[in-house]
Amino acid sequence: MKITLIGLGAEEGDLSLKADEALKNAAKIFARSAHMCAYSSVEKYGAEPLDNLFGSSRNFDTLNKKLASAVLSAAKECDVVYCVDGAVSEDNACKIILSRHKDTVVYEGVSKAARAVSLARLKSTQYAAISGYDIKNLKSAPAAAVYDIDCDFIAGEVKLKLSEIFGEELDCAFVRGNTVKKIKVYEIDRQKEYDCTCAVAVEEPDFLHKERYNYSDLLELVRLLRAPGGCPWDRVQTNDTIKQNMIEEAYELVDAINRKDDDGIEEECGDVLLQAAFHTVLKEEQGAFTSGDVLSRVVKKLIFRHSHIFGKDKASDEDSALNVWEKNKMEEKHQTTFTESLKAVPVNFPACMRAQKVGKRAAKSGMDFLSSLSASEKMGEEVVELLKAMQAEDKDAVFEEAGDLLLAAVNTCRLAGVDCEQALAAATDKFIKRFEAFEQIATNDGKSLPDMCDAEYDYYWFLAKNATKTN
């Protein structure tokens, strides 16, 4: 049987002539709710409201499925007309019906979003239209029209999302019935009354006066700086000339994390993103790839490597999840040997970090020490070999054996569960702290460090160690 979907519009009188004709000839008429603004338009035709389904639904996803099911079931017996407020395209139950029933006719109505935009007199012709009940799905947009703000809870949800995208201090238009009031975004949930006619229309100001920016804005700013008439410094940069900046910014971010400085972390995350955006824009100019390519690639990579979440692999703990990740990474990079995965570790990593990562990947092949203790035995062997090379005054051998000793130390720490880079950094900080105490104590005793003998050095270092011990 045929199903006719009718949008009743945003208020009484919006019903189209074709829709009115369909209602006059309908065998069975359903209305989404008797509380719709334009319900009186169909009540005279004997429309049956489906308000009973609201109370038995846990959430709006369930409600929309039940509404669609009721209409589809009735259509097995006779032709059915289903009426919703606003436009058919704004109703999720109608979308379900359209996807599941081929013989469906649509008579569209005035959308609630379009009505809000008109009343608010928005300048932008590009806007996102969304129900307050779906507000969490709203993405960045130059403007937005949010309808169905029928209670203070939904108003609060809308306020939070629009504050995130546009800023809480931005002016917006609050629509209720035929009245429009200019308010701040943070005031959306502070209105006295809410009903099914309530909506909010908002649009961002010009680029330089926006309160909130997103990654697309960052890319656009870099493009502006690189354009003719832009910044002379930015215009002459290349991927090679700014590559060191990325390393420096990454280290500054890690430093802020180590200091537990949230304000610093916020700032340095932005600086790291700026470097990524700059490199991306440079490659866009060369025709190598676009920002869309970059973001699509990383999202697809995360989905592929998390096959224990989005695929058939299983992972019950952190280690097994990491194993799945490494397996998928080798497959993604077409690495057929473990040697290839070792060679893929960047050579410009700090040496300690690179050694630990290479050792970790090599262990995936099964070649590893039995424990940190067995690895420490290798470290002892390397100490002996280094001493022999030093005694022989063989500089090349000393260089080689020193490297072997350091690598053995890294493997020992790795198997002991220690991050070598962090451990060495902490040890260096500890040494500086002790040296400071050592110099201060010795100087207070009237000693000159360059003139002290070995025994004095040992004595004052011992005092410094005790002075800097932490409980």
Side-chain angles (χ1 to χ4, degrees), residues 182-220:
K182 181 179 177 181
I183 63 173
K184 299 290 185 182
V185 168
Y186 70 80
E187 296 178 302
I188 291 174
D189 63 346
R190 301 182 184 182
Q191 305 308 299
K192 292 181 179 180
E193 293 183 85
Y194 301 94
D195 58 37
C196 62
T197 68
C198 291
V200 166
V202 60
E203 59 186 336
E204 63 186 16
D206 64 82
F207 188 83
L208 296 180
H209 296 93
K210 292 172 64 172
E211 183 181 340
R212 304 286 291 180
Y213 294 93
N214 56 36
Y215 187 67
S216 295
D217 292 322
L218 179 59
L219 289 165
E220 183 60 26

Side-chain angles (χ1 to χ4, degrees), residues 69-113:
S69 180
V71 175
L72 291 167
S73 295
K76 294 177 181 179
E77 305 295 332
C78 63
D79 291 345
V80 177
V81 173
Y82 178 54
C83 303
V84 298
D85 50 342
V88 169
S89 58
E90 292 176 331
D91 189 88
N92 289 327
C94 287
K95 294 175 185 177
I96 296 173
I97 294 168
L98 284 166
S99 68
R100 293 171 57 183
H101 197 275
K102 293 183 178 180
D103 190 9
T104 304
V105 177
V106 175
Y107 292 120
E108 198 56 281
V110 177
S111 77
K112 290 176 277 189

